[in-house]
Amino acid sequence: MAQDGMFTISEFAELSGITRSNLLYYDAIGILKPAYRAGNNYRLYSSRQLELINAILSLRSMGLSLDAVREHIPNRTPENTLDLFETQIKALSAKIDDLLQLRESIEKRAETIRLHKDIKAPLFTIEVRSTETIFIGRLCASAPNLDVAYFHSFLKQCREVGISHATQIGQIVFMESALAGSWDAAGCMYAKTNKGSDNIEEGMFAVLFELSQDYFDDNHAYYEKFMRHVSKNSLELRGNIYIEYPLDEMSENDPKKHLVKIFSPVRQR
């Protein structure tokens, strides 16, 4: 110990559990300056500063930035500390919401792969589905314009409302267009997330699985094949057509094995 109640920087670092380099940095940015500088420019810290460094480390462990800590240290009062904590609680709650959404997206992606990895396309089948919440893009485009630019425009919309980039997305062809065979009519994109206010209804769905080499392929042939299967099985549409890619660039290296899923709610004629 340098003198009664005072510690050299090395002693203070050992007692506080913070590195010497961090103490030098805290000194440089004004978070914790030595209590005294000796004539040889040695930094000396007081025993009271052990309590202060513990408070600083506690604030940092709560996720507070160095700037927030630096601003708070000279302005500590119960009221200011409560304000600081309440602000941090809100920030942490937002992060928790984002992490929960990200986990949900990953879980949905994983479940999609599990359910579809052994599908042998082409395949037409019937599914019974529960209601699924989705976010529909506010912009629509004609089918030929559901291209790279439109795709990234939709992703931007998702980011604006806090939807993770990891969320699975799909395309919609409106029922009126499908019944008229107008595959170039306006359609939309959607994201499979609980943050949406729309939904894919529950009930019986006709489903067509096909192999697709490109997300932006011309899907007209798939749509027409889907409608032929619907008619052949004495079914009729009762809602929009949805297009998803259960196995895509994320999960399958071979583009010839990318899986497209076309499905729509139907009823018996």
Side-chain angles (χ1 to χ4, degrees):
M1 186 179 295
Q3 58 189 67
D4 289 346
M6 302 296 287
F7 305 92
T8 65
I9 188 170
S10 296
E11 292 170 335
F12 192 80
E14 183 175 355
L15 287 169
S16 63
I18 189 172
T19 64
R20 185 177 185 277
S21 60
N22 272 347
L23 284 173
L24 291 172
Y25 182 61
Y26 283 5
D27 180 9
I29 65 175
I31 286 183
L32 180 69
K33 291 189 171 293
Y36 178 75
R37 281 183 184 267
N40 53 10
N41 205 33
Y42 279 2
R43 294 170 172 82
L44 296 176
Y45 294 83
S46 69
S47 56
R48 183 176 181 278
Q49 285 182 302
L50 284 171
E51 298 180 21
L52 181 56
I53 191 62
N54 184 60
I56 291 170
L57 294 176
S58 295
L59 292 170
R60 290 289 287 147
S61 73
M62 295 176 188
L64 290 160
S65 67
L66 286 173
D67 286 341
V69 173
R70 178 172 53 194
E71 182 178 344
H72 178 67
I73 290 302
N75 299 296
R76 284 166 290 159
T77 66
E79 292 75 18
N80 287 346
T81 304
L82 280 174
D83 288 343
L84 181 70
F85 286 176
E86 287 169 1
T87 299
Q88 185 64 358
I89 287 169
K90 290 178 182 177
L92 290 173
S93 295
K95 288 182 180 179
I96 290 170
D97 288 343
D98 289 342
L99 287 172
L100 288 173
Q101 183 201 156
L102 180 58
R103 187 179 73 175
E104 176 198 16
S105 297
I106 295 171
E107 288 173 343
K108 285 186 175 182
R109 286 268 190 173
E111 181 64 13
T112 295
I113 293 171
R114 274 192 291 270
L115 290 173
H116 297 91
K117 64 184 180 67
D118 297 320
I119 294 289
K120 304 300 181 185
L123 173 68
F124 181 81
T125 187
I126 300 295
E127 287 183 354
V128 176
R129 297 172 56 98
S130 301
T131 302
E132 183 173 20
T133 304
I134 58 174
F135 168 79
I136 296 179
R138 63 178 179 268
L139 300 175
C140 293
S142 60
N145 294 321
L146 289 174
D147 56 10
V148 176
Y150 180 81
F151 174 77
H152 286 283
S153 174
F154 175 72
L155 292 181
K156 181 180 179 182
Q157 292 177 54
C158 289
R159 290 194 297 271
E160 288 172 353
V161 296
I163 295 174
S164 166
H165 197 89
T167 304
Q168 188 175 359
I169 62 175
Q171 302 171 18
I172 297 174
V173 174
F174 299 126
M175 182 174 70
E176 295 79 6
S177 302
L179 293 175
S182 301
W183 306 116
D184 289 342
C188 289
M189 299 191 74
Y190 65 93
K192 301 175 70 170
T193 172
N194 289 333
K195 282 197 170 186
S197 57
D198 295 284
N199 62 73
I200 300 176
E201 60 268 46
E202 65 181 3
M204 182 172 68
F205 280 70
V207 182
L208 175 66
F209 294 102
E210 289 283 350
L211 295 178
S212 174
Q213 295 188 32
D214 192 329
Y215 190 89
F216 304 104
D217 275 350
D218 182 352
N219 290 323
H220 289 193
Y222 298 149
Y223 301 149
E224 291 166 0
K225 185 175 181 180
F226 175 79
M227 294 301 291
R228 287 197 298 271
H229 278 294
V230 168
S231 177
K232 181 180 177 181
N233 286 272
S234 300
L235 302 169
E236 61 182 14
L237 300 188
R238 58 179 182 84
N240 299 327
I241 293 179
Y242 301 89
I243 306 96
E244 295 178 0
Y245 292 77
L247 302 180
D248 57 10
E249 197 66 42
M250 181 183 293
S251 56
E252 176 54 63
N253 183 56
D254 185 352
K256 294 181 180 180
K257 295 181 180 179
H258 290 180
L259 187 68
V260 58
K261 179 179 182 178
I262 301 172
F263 58 103
S264 178
V266 293
R267 57 176 165 252
Q268 290 292 151
R269 284 207 302 263

